[in-house]
Amino acid sequence: MKIALLGSGNVATHLSKALIKAGYPVMQVWSRKENNAIDLALQIGANSISDCKEIKDSIDVVILAVTDDAIENVASQIPQKEGRLVLHTSGTTPLNVLEKYFDSCGVLYPLQTFSKTADLDFQTIPICIEANNIKAENQLELIAGKISSKVEKLDSPSRAILHISAVFACNFTNYFYSVAQELLEGVQLNFDLLRPLIQETADKAMLNLPFEVQTGPAKRNDQLTMNKHLALLKDNSYLQGLYSSISQGIVKMYQPNLGGE
Amino acid sequence: MKIALLGSGNVATHLSKALIKAGYPVMQVWSRKENNAIDLALQIGANSISDCKEIKDSIDVVILAVTDDAIENVASQIPQKEGRLVLHTSGTTPLNVLEKYFDSCGVLYPLQTFSKTADLDFQTIPICIEANNIKAENQLELIAGKISSKVEKLDSPSRAILHISAVFACNFTNYFYSVAQELLEGVQLNFDLLRPLIQETADKAMLNLPFEVQTGPAKRNDQLTMNKHLALLKDNSYLQGLYSSISQGIVKMYQPNLGGE
């Protein structure tokens, strides 16, 4: 099963390495940014191409790991070939964007945050798959099962909700780490101070449902502390608004169970 | 150095165990909820008392691990005794709340999220200390240094900012895990799916500054995906508002560096 990879970002980079490790030859790499395609192709021993039309007839699977807004345009440039499977890797883009162009298509959505620097064990990364026919689904299940031990069949609407939940649990969470970092810098404190807390917060969510291990002033409906915090954030109306809105959400979530020391 | 502990919540429970492990005898336990005081006293081999006035003359250190809004009232009931050190454990409450009542007082603020269930290694927990005189500071530094290897001197205003940053990095983060859990439950998906992502997000913040490893649609200023997410959240105006507001914060944070595939 020969693969062509379209894209050269974090997902494309990590996914191509995982595919090769699993024994799938990635033969061709294309990217909107040609230099990135050349770099990635060099790293993984593939050929870079400057135009999607150069995808060879011998390619069995084409994987689009490009930004969501580029998927349809790139898809429209891929040469049609009977029996070829075309996949995208997006959480939010529905499968039917590809169905317009290809008889056999699917989605391979790895649920992880990919950075250029971090090395990842793909085997532990959940991969959500969807295909437009049973043959494509079997093919996709085989590929996904070789690179990860956690393969989940998921339709497009559920995948979109999963993607939103990942934005909250990962992207927004990391942004709040950054907000904390900025607040600490304002009083010349090192981010190191917060690292054990961040680690423990994530560790608790590995063993518990987060609802059960919430802590903090809002959980206790400790209005005194929340008001002090809001007063201290008075010069930053954006953070003050966030603090207030999220605290209200937490108070509401736990209101029926309020009490405790 | 004999200790009396006022409070029986998560901080009181974990702190008293750490103190005993470090060789400090916790002799007396009081709590607003008498049954909880009896329980904790039994667990740690101390005596429970039903009134702060019962604190013995032989007690050298009194630790108030009660909610912020109770600190002043409880402090006012502690018998005065020369040479006795009185501490609270609050992030946001300034030291001067205790100075009204005691010649020798301080703050011992352990920066961690404490749950009844999780066992914690106190040695890795940053402890921020502050005292109102040099003798008290030396005493406090000695105690804190026995239970943790990360002791930091911090004045009340800086500690309050640290507390706010901890609310963002821990409490709000865990709330967003819960939001994600609720979104997943809406489409019958298991929270397990998100756990590797949550783990990796925290792991990256151990080795990098969070600003440097942000990912997601807002980081890429991917308006198409953000608009799709907002449309999917249309029945939950609260989450829609949060999504929009936080995404705008992220876009603004990275605007100067926008670009990339």
Side-chain angles (χ1 to χ4, degrees):
Chain A
M1 201 137 39
K2 290 174 181 158
I3 295 174
L5 183 77
L6 313 185
S8 61
N10 293 333
V11 173
T13 302
H14 286 281
L15 181 59
S16 63
K17 290 176 182 173
L19 286 164
I20 290 166
K21 209 174 153 191
Y24 292 109
V26 177
M27 311 297 290
Q28 296 185 299
V29 176
W30 170 90
S31 167
R32 188 163 53 98
K33 298 176 181 165
E34 204 174 339
N35 282 336
N36 291 359
I38 293 169
D39 280 354
L40 179 57
L42 263 174
Q43 278 182 58
I44 61 174
N47 294 313
S48 66
I49 54 178
S50 57
D51 191 316
C52 293
K53 296 195 173 45
E54 297 170 40
I55 292 173
K56 287 187 180 167
D57 277 354
S58 57
I59 294 292
D60 305 294
V61 181
V62 178
I63 303 178
L64 287 97
V66 298
T67 52
D68 288 24
D69 53 359
I71 290 175
E72 183 148 9
N73 180 37
V74 174
S76 71
Q77 297 170 44
I78 299 170
Q80 312 253 351
K81 193 185 162 268
E82 219 192 300
R84 175 180 285 166
L85 178 63
V86 179
L87 308 173
H88 76 63
T89 60
S90 159
T92 298
T93 307
L95 174 58
N96 62 22
V97 167
L98 297 180
E99 273 189 294
K100 290 187 218 168
Y101 301 98
F102 309 104
D103 293 337
S104 204
C105 57
V107 179
L108 184 157
Y109 172 54
L111 185 65
Q112 191 49 283
T113 166
F114 297 99
S115 301
K116 283 260 195 292
T117 52
D119 253 348
L120 285 167
D121 176 11
F122 239 87
Q123 282 296 328
T124 63
I125 298 175
I127 295 187
C128 304
I129 60 168
E130 183 185 14
N132 76 327
N133 66 61
I134 189 74
K135 197 187 150 203
E137 187 178 284
N138 290 339
Q139 226 179 332
L140 184 47
E141 212 171 351
L142 183 71
I143 299 170
K146 283 262 174 73
I147 59 177
S148 166
S149 61
K150 296 179 185 173
V151 179
E152 191 97 8
K153 286 178 204 169
L154 214 61
D155 62 17
S156 291
S158 295
R159 191 175 61 252
I161 296 295
L162 176 61
H163 191 199
I164 297 178
S165 76
V167 167
F168 275 92
C170 162
N171 304 149
F172 289 177
T173 286
N174 188 74
Y175 174 63
F176 280 0
Y177 300 162
S178 285
V179 165
Q181 180 192 332
E182 282 192 350
L183 288 168
L184 291 183
E185 283 167 0
V187 288
Q188 281 82 49
L189 287 177
N190 196 296
F191 186 67
D192 270 348
L193 262 178
L194 277 181
R195 287 194 161 113
L197 179 66
I198 287 172
Q199 185 78 69
E200 173 69 11
T201 305
D203 285 354
K204 284 207 290 191
M206 296 304 109
L207 301 171
N208 306 274
L209 286 176
F211 178 84
E212 293 155 8
V213 290
Q214 183 70 44
T215 58
K219 162 73 189 298
R220 300 190 301 268
N221 198 15
D222 176 350
Q223 295 288 339
L224 179 81
T225 301
M226 288 189 278
N227 287 335
K228 280 184 188 169
H229 286 175
L230 288 171
L232 285 165
L233 292 171
K234 68 180 186 308
D235 293 333
N236 190 327
S237 63
Y238 172 68
L239 287 188
Q240 201 182 40
L242 273 188
Y243 186 102
S244 171
S245 167
I246 297 171
S247 293
Q248 281 166 31
I250 298 174
V251 169
K252 214 171 148 190
M253 187 176 254
Y254 291 94
Q255 196 66 44
N257 310 318
L258 270 186
E261 187 170 43
Chain B
M1 203 138 34
K2 289 174 182 159
I3 295 174
L5 182 77
L6 314 185
S8 61
N10 293 332
V11 174
T13 301
H14 286 281
L15 181 59
S16 63
K17 290 177 182 173
L19 287 164
I20 290 165
K21 209 174 152 190
Y24 291 109
V26 177
M27 311 296 289
Q28 296 186 298
V29 176
W30 170 89
S31 168
R32 188 163 52 97
K33 297 177 181 163
E34 206 176 338
N35 281 337
N36 291 0
I38 293 169
D39 279 355
L40 180 56
L42 263 175
Q43 277 182 59
I44 62 174
N47 294 314
S48 66
I49 53 178
S50 57
D51 192 315
C52 293
K53 299 198 170 43
E54 297 169 41
I55 293 174
K56 286 188 181 168
D57 277 353
S58 58
I59 294 292
D60 305 295
V61 182
V62 178
I63 303 178
L64 288 97
V66 299
T67 52
D68 289 23
D69 54 358
I71 289 175
E72 183 147 7
N73 181 37
V74 174
S76 71
Q77 298 170 43
I78 299 171
Q80 313 252 352
K81 194 186 162 267
E82 219 193 299
R84 176 180 283 166
L85 178 63
V86 179
L87 309 173
H88 76 62
T89 59
S90 159
T92 297
T93 307
L95 174 58
N96 63 21
V97 168
L98 297 181
E99 274 189 293
K100 289 187 220 168
Y101 301 98
F102 309 104
D103 293 336
S104 204
C105 55
V107 178
L108 184 157
Y109 172 54
L111 185 66
Q112 190 48 281
T113 166
F114 296 100
S115 300
K116 282 259 195 293
T117 52
D119 253 348
L120 285 167
D121 177 11
F122 238 87
Q123 282 296 330
T124 64
I125 298 176
I127 294 188
C128 304
I129 61 168
E130 184 185 13
N132 76 327
N133 65 62
I134 188 73
K135 196 186 151 203
E137 188 178 283
N138 291 339
Q139 225 180 333
L140 184 47
E141 213 171 351
L142 183 71
I143 299 170
K146 284 262 175 73
I147 59 177
S148 165
S149 59
K150 296 179 185 173
V151 179
E152 191 97 10
K153 285 179 205 170
L154 215 60
D155 62 15
S156 291
S158 296
R159 191 176 59 253
I161 296 294
L162 176 61
H163 191 199
I164 298 178
S165 76
V167 167
F168 275 93
C170 163
N171 303 149
F172 290 177
T173 286
N174 187 74
Y175 174 62
F176 279 1
Y177 300 162
S178 284
V179 165
Q181 180 192 333
E182 282 192 350
L183 288 167
L184 291 183
E185 283 167 0
V187 288
Q188 280 83 49
L189 287 177
N190 196 297
F191 186 66
D192 270 348
L193 262 178
L194 278 182
R195 287 194 161 115
L197 179 65
I198 287 171
Q199 184 78 70
E200 173 69 12
T201 305
D203 285 353
K204 284 206 290 191
M206 296 305 109
L207 302 171
N208 305 274
L209 285 175
F211 178 84
E212 293 155 7
V213 290
Q214 183 71 42
T215 58
K219 161 73 189 301
R220 299 191 302 269
N221 198 15
D222 176 350
Q223 295 289 338
L224 179 81
T225 300
M226 289 189 277
N227 287 334
K228 279 184 187 170
H229 286 175
L230 288 171
L232 285 166
L233 292 171
K234 67 180 188 309
D235 294 332
N236 189 327
S237 62
Y238 173 67
L239 287 187
Q240 201 182 40
L242 275 188
Y243 187 102
S244 171
S245 168
I246 298 171
S247 293
Q248 280 166 32
I250 298 173
V251 169
K252 213 171 151 190
M253 186 174 255
Y254 292 93
Q255 195 68 41
N257 311 317
L258 269 187
E261 187 171 38

